[in-house]
Amino acid sequence: MMTNTTMSARLAIAGQIAAQAAELALGFFNRRDAIEVSSKRTQDFVSEADVAVEQFIRSHLAQHFPQDAVIGEEMGGVLTDAPCWVIDPIDGTSNFLRGSPLWGVSLGLVENKKPLIGIVALPVLNDLFAAESGKGIFLNGKPFRRDDRFEDVQIVSLGDSSDDKLDEASAFYQGLRAADWSVHCYRCTTVGMVFAAKGIIGGHLQRRTTLWDIAGGTVLCQEAGLDTVVKFARTADGIEDYRHMSVAAGTADLLSAVIPLWPGFEPK
């Protein structure tokens, strides 16, 4: 991990876009009783705020980075090895709709399927984290280092999914508790990853997630000095599927505890 005193031009521009998108999202949050909401599937919601924020980010990315591809949760896209921006306009929509502050706007840049830039805004908490691979983290424009005090207070964020098999999820939870880890579930991947990068918790684990959920937070966790493992599932044709992924980001002690609980998982 290293800390720079200035952002690259690309990170600064992307950060400005994310900050403006966060303001837009916060406006919807403050009048959420008047916005339209629909359900994609059980416990998976989308609102007009999600669509409006993604459209806003896409339009500004097109102005500044017209050569780059874009993938978004609401409007899709195609992932190749070329540079590609990945948008989660409102991660934690359920929290957003219920009035919880634990939701965020996530923007990441991946190339050769590896995250290079990560930006996460938590609008209600007034935090905007931005990081670039190998160049450190910025919080609200200022260099930031993870708080690594009190690591013996073992707290982990555990992501959940409607696709989880309940017996497997229960066994995983019990294994973490047996290893003396207290488990939080924020119902928002970006919050879990930001809190891990910030040092509030020891890490975030999610066995089923998507690229738009983790593209921003992955770089933050890497630059915070956490061991970070991201894996794609593969389709029947052997193609890596960005809609079905897993992530583990945490301290060495946490990931050591995870290995016997998560078949097929090992840090690289």
Side-chain angles (χ1 to χ4, degrees):
M1 176 181 59
M2 63 182 294
T3 301
N4 283 357
T5 58
T6 58
M7 295 185 187
S8 70
R10 183 166 62 172
L11 182 61
I13 292 169
Q16 290 171 1
I17 294 171
Q20 293 170 348
E23 288 184 13
L24 176 62
L26 187 59
F28 278 107
F29 178 76
N30 290 332
R31 60 179 189 278
R32 61 191 177 279
D33 56 337
I35 64 177
E36 295 183 5
V37 180
S38 59
S39 177
K40 300 177 186 177
R41 56 179 181 166
T42 303
Q43 293 297 316
D44 190 1
F45 300 94
V46 60
S47 73
E48 63 176 296
D50 296 79
V51 176
V53 172
E54 181 168 329
Q55 289 175 332
F56 175 90
I57 295 173
R58 282 178 176 268
S59 67
H60 283 74
L61 289 174
Q63 293 175 23
H64 293 281
F65 309 108
Q67 71 281 5
D68 294 343
V70 180
I71 289 174
E73 179 176 11
E74 308 308 333
M75 301 170 66
V78 177
L79 180 64
T80 67
D81 288 337
C84 180
W85 294 95
V86 183
I87 306 166
D88 194 336
I90 297 179
D91 186 32
T93 300
S94 297
N95 292 350
F96 174 98
L97 293 172
R98 290 299 298 262
S100 165
L102 299 182
W103 56 274
V105 177
S106 176
L107 178 62
L109 177 68
V110 300
E111 186 172 356
N112 295 316
K113 300 185 179 70
K114 295 186 180 300
L116 298 179
I117 281 178
I119 302 165
V120 174
L122 304 181
V124 181
L125 303 182
N126 199 32
D127 281 348
L128 190 145
F129 285 84
E132 190 165 358
S133 184
K135 298 181 180 179
I137 303 176
F138 295 84
L139 170 57
N140 297 334
K142 297 180 180 179
F144 173 82
R145 294 182 68 89
R146 182 176 187 270
D147 185 349
D148 59 2
R149 297 172 295 171
F150 307 112
E151 294 286 14
D152 54 333
V153 180
Q154 297 189 152
I155 305 172
V156 60
S157 165
L158 186 60
D160 63 353
S161 167
S162 298
D163 295 326
D164 282 335
K165 297 178 180 178
L166 293 182
D167 55 345
E168 292 180 1
S170 177
F172 193 55
Y173 172 85
Q174 291 179 19
L176 290 168
R177 290 298 307 274
D180 296 324
W181 283 89
S182 296
V183 179
H184 289 188
C185 181
Y186 299 115
R187 288 291 297 164
C188 178
T189 305
T190 53
V191 165
M193 298 190 81
V194 164
F195 281 9
K198 197 170 184 178
I200 293 174
I201 56 177
H204 177 79
L205 309 172
Q206 192 153 346
R207 300 181 347 143
R208 290 176 177 83
T209 187
T210 62
L211 183 59
W212 49 79
D213 281 336
I214 65 173
T218 295
V219 184
L220 297 178
C221 289
Q222 290 172 342
E223 292 303 296
L226 297 175
D227 294 335
T228 306
V229 182
V230 174
K231 292 188 177 183
F232 288 83
R234 292 186 179 272
T235 67
D237 299 329
I239 299 172
E240 292 180 328
D241 185 357
Y242 68 78
R243 294 176 178 84
H244 296 89
M245 302 181 68
S246 60
V247 66
T251 62
D253 286 346
L254 173 60
L255 268 62
S256 294
V258 168
I259 289 173
L261 306 175
W262 191 339
F265 163 84
E266 297 96 15
K268 295 182 180 179

